[in-house]
Amino acid sequence: MNSPTDITPATRRTALRELDLDRFFHPETVAVIGASDTPDRPTTLNWRRIRDWANRVGSRIHPVNPKKEMVDGLPCFPSILDVPGEVDLVVILIGDAMGVLPQVISSGARYAVMFAGGFAETGAEGARRQAELEDLLAAGQLRLLGPNTNLNAFEEFRDDLPGRPIALITQSGHQGRPVFQGQEIGIRFSHWAPTGNEADLEVADFVRYFADLEETGAIAAYVEGFRDGRTFQLAADHAARKGVPLVMVKVGRTAIGRSWAKSHTGHLAGSDAIVSAVMRQYGVIRVDGLDELLDTAAMLARAKPPTARGVCVYSISGGTSAHMADLATAAGLELPELTEDTQRALREWIPDYLRVSNPVDNGGHPTGDWRGRKILDALVADPGIGALVVPITGAFPPMSDYFVRDLVAVAETTDKPVCVVWGSPVGTEGAYRDVLLRSGIPVFRTFGNCITAVHAYFQHHEFMREYQSPWDRVELRPSPVAPKARELIAGGSVLAEHDAKSLLAAYDIPVSRDVLATSASDAVAAADSIGYPVVLKVASAAIAHKSDLGLVRIGVGSATQVRETYAELVDRASAAVDPALIDGVLVCEQLTGGVETVAGIATDELFGPAVMFGIGGLAVEVYRDVTFRVPPFDRAEALRMIREIKAFPLLRGHRGQPAADLDALADVLMKVQRIALDLPGELTELDINPLLALPGRAVALDAFAAGRTKEQP
């Protein structure tokens, strides 16, 4: 197979760019334009923040300000062009950042940070300014972070905390603050990249860099929109190849969320259904809250891969155990019964009227003496258990103190994560502050966040066991039938059903046996050839939804009925559209049984062509039980796509009905993907509905296709 350098001429980037971001995070020389030591000025605070950071990372720092000769005892240069030697990083603190940017580019600096706002986040005029900024950058070698960004890259990162660190990426510095403050409860961070408007450096660049760092335990990201859908795919694939968990809050699930995302950062938020599908495709873990982002990333960074799929819930209360077990089971976690040997051992320390099968309830008293550690050792030794979840709903010293010390001690003896929920609303207890938070084990404040993180933990490692990058197996050459397909959609017209089916047939997608009849006699001859009963439909590119206008008849069982139906359909269609736009009547074989599904292609503003699959027929718009994938994807992903719709049990054979051929459906999806790859700039929409899923085959009964018009961008 060829390497993924270009799929088709119409696609965007297919390889991540090579950047030496070490020179950004560990520069030898830093220059700060607008540096000041004037008291009580925001610029002074920012200058000193950057100066202190530069001292911590061992960088030389130079203030730049034409109004100052010295700043905080350091010689100050009137212009960036006056700074001696090479400069790795320039931080622009002044409002007129565009005014000095040409000089920064001319200086040969490698990286710059533009703090100023007033660009694409402010509307049309700001977008014009940002376009000018991007044009300036394109002409040089400077790489820019921002504009409209914060200085969070220059925070103080503690190196005295346990565990592998989290690398943080945010498009809003304010939204990243409560995540970064996880340092205060013992969660380690290594970097923070606040990307702002992403006129140049984008989320994808930092995902790649952080995934390549050996120390990175997880990447946590708050994203409002992607600069380029293709680069996000490539970056997520890169993280998956490296086995680095990528956890993300992505704004834009709702219309109001998408509108704010666009106004705040100037990004297109994209179709959320397709964004979610791409995340599933590449194993990105999507969460909703910033607290979930912190807790889930910390869990993944700290916990080693599971040795078993089972979760054991252990507490001192039957009610607590039942509550946690309900949440875990509803989330899809497995709570297997403990082995007979484990249960027998537990009975030595837990009264026989309490449950020890899973969940395990010790009644409280064993927690406060020597039995507590014995119980924990037995639980983590059970071969079916991959994670232990211990909800502590409130502090009850001294027993809770003993309990916590035992939990930390047993966690040091096993690779299985010991997850503790400290439910006390106070949070100042010594057992929590001085023992749990300093231990490095996963600690949560809510049941919900614990379950979310544990589920993500198993989900990530299960995904990684099976992941194979689709970019290594992309067919780069257009298929031999691509020229014929282009002829069919030439001119940007909507295709009539028979032409749309010709497009499908060109890619070997099975279609029903159809004959286009232009007279009643032709229709009878076609029906005689196909075999009764037949389906009759008006054939016209001007009519997209024929059934809505009563222009489809099924079960037409004789030559007489064919003649009568033909005349009726033509008359009805002529009342709806210009008769010159009616091609005739399509006579089709009638297939029964099976499950009506839908497959097709939608064009997304960020990701380009996306392949759709779901439950079809008239129900598609009612239930919206559909899913998407963005090319490239492999056959295993096509099958995963089929299995994730809610109606999948129907395809497996519900209540004695025969099962549909899943391999045949996967074949169709792979061929639809081939169409999407061949015609990404020319075909805007393809709809195969219904795609009848039968035992042994899948057949397209109806199809709609539309090409891009000259007026469309």
Side-chain angles (χ1 to χ4, degrees), residues 31 33 64 77-85 87 90 100-109:
I33 297 177
V64 176
F77 297 92
S79 161
I80 184 63
L81 297 175
D82 297 313
V83 175
V87 177
V90 178
V100 299
L101 188 62
Q103 293 181 0
V104 175
I105 294 172
S106 298
S107 74

Side-chain angles (χ1 to χ4, degrees), residues 447-470:
F447 284 19
N449 278 17
C450 177
I451 294 301
T452 296
V454 173
H455 181 264
Y457 164 72
F458 283 103
Q459 185 183 46
H460 167 73
H461 289 288
E462 182 176 355
F463 178 86
M464 289 310 308
R465 282 193 296 270
E466 300 180 0
Y467 184 72
Q468 293 184 338
S469 174

Side-chain angles (χ1 to χ4, degrees), residues 473-491:
R473 300 177 301 281
V474 177
E475 176 55 63
L476 304 179
R477 296 166 298 181
S479 58
V481 299
K484 179 181 179 180
R486 289 192 181 92
E487 289 179 10
L488 285 169
I489 62 172

Side-chain angles (χ1 to χ4, degrees), residues 587-606:
V587 183
C588 313
E589 69 172 319
Q590 182 167 312
L591 297 172
T592 58
V595 179
E596 290 188 343
T597 67
V598 60
I601 298 169
T603 300
D604 182 73
E605 57 192 351
L606 279 172

